[in-house]
Amino acid sequence: MPRLRRGDDLGPGFLEAAVGVRRKDPEQVVAYAREALHLARESSSGYVARRLQALRSEFGPLARDRRIANLDAEIKALSAT
């Protein structure tokens, strides 16, 4: 799971998505990571985008799930802009 420092504010969703990765729960990952994606897009936050990239690197076997694969593509596209 991506490490957070005290005081990190990634907005709604990120921590819950990271917990979902650890629990191998694709529904939790997708539901909450979408909230973090929304925040990253609305705020143009490179910090949140980098944290989502770190989350993406933790998907492991979850990446075979179609929902996670779609989420992965969205995070990748966010980071490319």
Side-chain angles (χ1 to χ4, degrees), residues 24-57:
K24 296 178 176 42
D25 181 348
E27 290 179 16
Q28 181 175 349
V29 174
V30 170
Y32 289 108
R34 291 211 187 278
E35 290 182 32
L37 270 167
H38 178 72
L39 173 68
R41 287 181 183 128
E42 292 296 313
S43 67
S44 300
S45 172
Y47 179 72
V48 175
R50 286 189 302 276
R51 289 303 190 183
L52 284 168
Q53 279 292 345
L55 180 69
R56 195 175 154 240
S57 71

